[in-house]
């Protein structure tokens, strides 16, 4: 945004708004004398604030998209860390098994040494007893099989250990890639939020109050348009028992601040709120709004019921929980708290059901 506009935001004050209001009040297309007059002029302060609002909304939405990427990388990193721990346990067990097998092989070698080192077949050939010969032959076959099995098991275990090493290395590489991804997305999030906060910081107190009003007006306009379609006439399903529990948890968080990456208990981001709400209801769901869209069963809007999740925007960067009567509970963005809002106040992409 240009220097002129920024100065305009800074300079807007109660006096400017009052003057603009007075100007609009006295202007018209035709005056009482019948003489044509200038058409009403738009309030430059309001026009600038509306542009600021749109820019701030877009910055926070971009931050939300980056937050989703950060949360996904964090979830994957946790899964990879758990996998590495599991592989380490398998390696320890494999090494213990190798030790046990080597001990058995050593015991067999020591037994042969005690017999003078003569192969079992040679000892059997020197036997004078036919029954002893037959018994010995059977023991030799059993011994040979045991030796073969022992060697095969050692080879398998060693092969498993080699595979574990490869798996662990692959998991470490993924973990490092996710660490880099987290750092990159964290930087993006911080930059977007800082830019949005910078825009807001340039506003006077009256302008900040007006900015909030503009946000509410935009949401109200979108919600009104959504309701005017008659959509609520079709949406009348009741919540499931688990859905009621999820709604109860989510609504109990109203007033807590939005913090990106947060999953409670003191703060939440949008998908942190929905995932924890359903966890409280005994149902684990994906951590991010994009994964919630990808992995949870989709339902038609007309079949929506309280507890279902509404995914917003084309990039699925936001999510809220439907609570009934055309409303959602959600964590909007940095600088705002968990709150109720109109379900149609943002562009709806899909509805998903965690307990389908």
């Amino acid at each position: 945004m240009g220097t002129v506009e920024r100065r305009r935001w800074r300079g807007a004050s109660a006096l400017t708004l009052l003057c603009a209001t007075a100007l609009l009040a006295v202007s018209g297309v035709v005056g009482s004398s019948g003489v044509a007059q200038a058409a009403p002029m738009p309030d430059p302060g309001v026009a600038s604030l509306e542009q600021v609002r749109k820019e701030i909304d877009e910055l926070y939405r971009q931050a939300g998209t980056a937050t989703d990427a950060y949360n996904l990388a964090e979830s994957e990193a946790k899964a990879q860390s758990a996998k590495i721990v599991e592989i380490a346990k398998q390696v320890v067990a494999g090494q213990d098994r190798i030790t046990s097998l080597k001990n058995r092989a050593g015991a067999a070698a020591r037994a042969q040494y005690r017999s003078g080192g003569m192969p079992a077949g040679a000892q059997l050939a020197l036997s004078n007893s036919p029954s002893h010969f037959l018994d010995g032959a059977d023991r030799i076959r059993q011994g040979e099989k045991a030796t073969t099995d022992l060697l095969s098991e050692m080879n398998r275990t060693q092969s498993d250990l080699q595979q574990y090493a490869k798996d662990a290395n692959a998991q470490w590489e993924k973990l490092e890639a996710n660490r880099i991804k987290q750092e990159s997305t964290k930087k993006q999030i911080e930059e977007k939020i800082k830019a949005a906060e910078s825009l807001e910081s340039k506003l006077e107190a009256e302008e900040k109050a007006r900015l909030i009003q503009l946000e509410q007006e935009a949401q109200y306009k979108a919600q009104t348009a959504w309701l005017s379609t008659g959509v609520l006439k079709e949406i009348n399903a009741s919540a499931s028992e688990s859905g009621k529990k999820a709604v109860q948890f989510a609504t109990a968080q109203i007033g807590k601040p939005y913090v990106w990456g947060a999953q409670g208990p003191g703060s939440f981001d949008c998908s942190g709120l929905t995932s924890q709400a359903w966890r409280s209801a005994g149902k684990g769901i994906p951590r991010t709004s994009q994964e919630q869209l990808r992995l949870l069963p989709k339902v038609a809007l007309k079949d929506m019921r309280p507890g279902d999740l509404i995914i917003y925007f084309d990039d699925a960067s936001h999510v809220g929980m439907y609570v009934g009567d055309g409303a959602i509970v959600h964590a909007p963005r940095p600088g705002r708290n968990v709150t109720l809002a109109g379900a149609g106040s943002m562009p709806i992409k899909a509805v998903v059901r965690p307990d389908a």
Side-chain angles (χ1 to χ4, degrees):
M1 184 159 293
T3 303
V4 173
E5 287 180 304
R6 283 198 293 270
R7 288 175 179 169
R8 193 176 294 164
W9 306 333
R10 295 194 194 99
S13 63
L15 179 60
T16 304
L17 292 174
L18 181 60
C19 292
T21 303
L23 175 63
L24 290 173
V26 299
S27 62
V29 177
V30 179
S32 58
S33 62
V35 180
Q37 297 179 348
M41 297 294 291
D43 185 335
V46 173
S48 297
L49 278 175
E50 177 61 16
Q51 182 62 30
V52 174
R53 182 193 69 78
K54 291 179 179 179
E55 288 193 30
I56 289 174
D57 281 353
E58 180 60 23
L59 285 167
Y60 278 127
R61 204 170 75 76
Q62 291 173 9
T65 302
T67 297
D68 225 35
Y70 177 90
N71 290 337
L72 179 59
E74 184 179 45
S75 296
E76 290 177 345
K78 287 179 179 178
Q80 286 148 9
S81 294
K83 182 65 175 176
I84 289 170
V85 170
E86 182 60 31
I87 291 172
K89 291 178 179 178
Q90 292 174 330
V91 168
V92 170
Q95 290 172 336
D96 289 344
R97 185 62 181 157
I98 286 288
T99 300
S100 174
L101 293 171
K102 285 181 177 179
N103 289 338
R104 284 169 55 188
R110 288 191 295 273
Q112 184 175 355
Y113 175 79
R114 286 194 296 271
S115 67
M118 185 179 292
Q123 295 179 36
L124 185 59
L126 297 175
S127 173
N128 295 322
S129 168
S131 62
H132 180 78
F133 180 88
L134 292 174
D135 290 341
D138 185 56
R139 286 196 298 273
I140 287 175
R141 284 194 295 271
Q142 293 177 3
E144 289 175 343
K145 183 178 184 305
T147 300
T148 301
D149 291 346
L150 178 63
L151 292 173
S152 296
E153 189 170 356
M154 285 183 69
N155 288 334
R156 283 197 304 272
T157 305
Q158 288 174 335
S159 177
D160 287 344
L161 287 173
Q162 292 174 351
Q163 186 60 49
Y164 294 154
K166 291 179 181 179
D167 290 346
N169 185 61
Q171 292 299 326
W172 276 115
E173 288 179 355
K174 290 180 181 178
L175 191 62
E176 177 63 12
N178 272 317
R179 184 189 66 78
I180 294 172
K181 183 179 179 181
Q182 280 181 276
E183 289 181 354
S184 174
T185 52
K186 180 180 179 180
K187 184 178 180 181
Q188 291 177 35
I189 294 165
E190 292 174 340
E191 287 176 350
K192 299 298 182 184
I193 292 176
K194 184 178 180 180
E197 290 175 342
S198 177
L199 284 177
E200 287 187 276
S201 70
K202 293 179 173 66
L203 303 177
E204 302 294 339
E206 295 88 348
E207 293 173 310
K208 290 179 180 178
R210 177 58 177 151
L211 184 67
I212 293 175
Q213 184 180 351
L214 288 173
E215 287 180 5
Q216 294 170 343
E217 288 174 358
Q219 293 169 7
Y220 177 78
K221 182 178 179 181
Q223 175 73 354
T224 301
W226 184 66
L227 292 176
S228 68
T229 64
V231 64
L232 283 189
K233 294 178 182 178
E234 295 182 309
I235 303 174
N236 51 25
S238 299
S240 64
E241 287 305 311
S242 55
K244 291 177 183 177
K245 293 178 182 177
V247 169
Q248 184 177 18
F249 177 94
T251 53
Q253 312 313 311
I254 290 175
K256 293 183 178 180
Y258 177 108
V259 174
W260 67 267
Q263 301 183 71
S267 58
F268 297 87
D269 63 19
C270 67
S271 57
L273 176 65
T274 54
S275 60
Q276 289 304 307
W278 271 101
R279 184 180 296 277
S280 75
K283 178 71 174 179
I285 65 172
R287 168 67 178 90
T288 71
S289 56
Q290 292 175 351
E291 289 296 281
Q292 288 168 4
L293 172 65
R294 187 172 71 87
L295 297 175
L296 296 179
K298 296 177 180 61
V299 296
L301 187 65
K302 65 182 180 63
D303 298 324
M304 183 167 61
R305 68 190 187 194
D308 288 347
L309 306 182
I310 304 180
I311 309 298
Y312 292 98
F313 303 109
D314 288 340
D315 59 0
S317 58
H318 192 70
V319 59
M321 178 180 291
Y322 186 64
V323 295
D325 296 326
I328 61 167
V329 60
H330 73 142
R333 65 166 176 83
R336 299 291 183 263
N337 298 330
V338 175
T339 187
L340 291 173
S345 59
M346 295 169 283
I348 296 175
K349 182 175 181 65
V351 179
V352 296
R353 179 164 294 165
D355 62 339

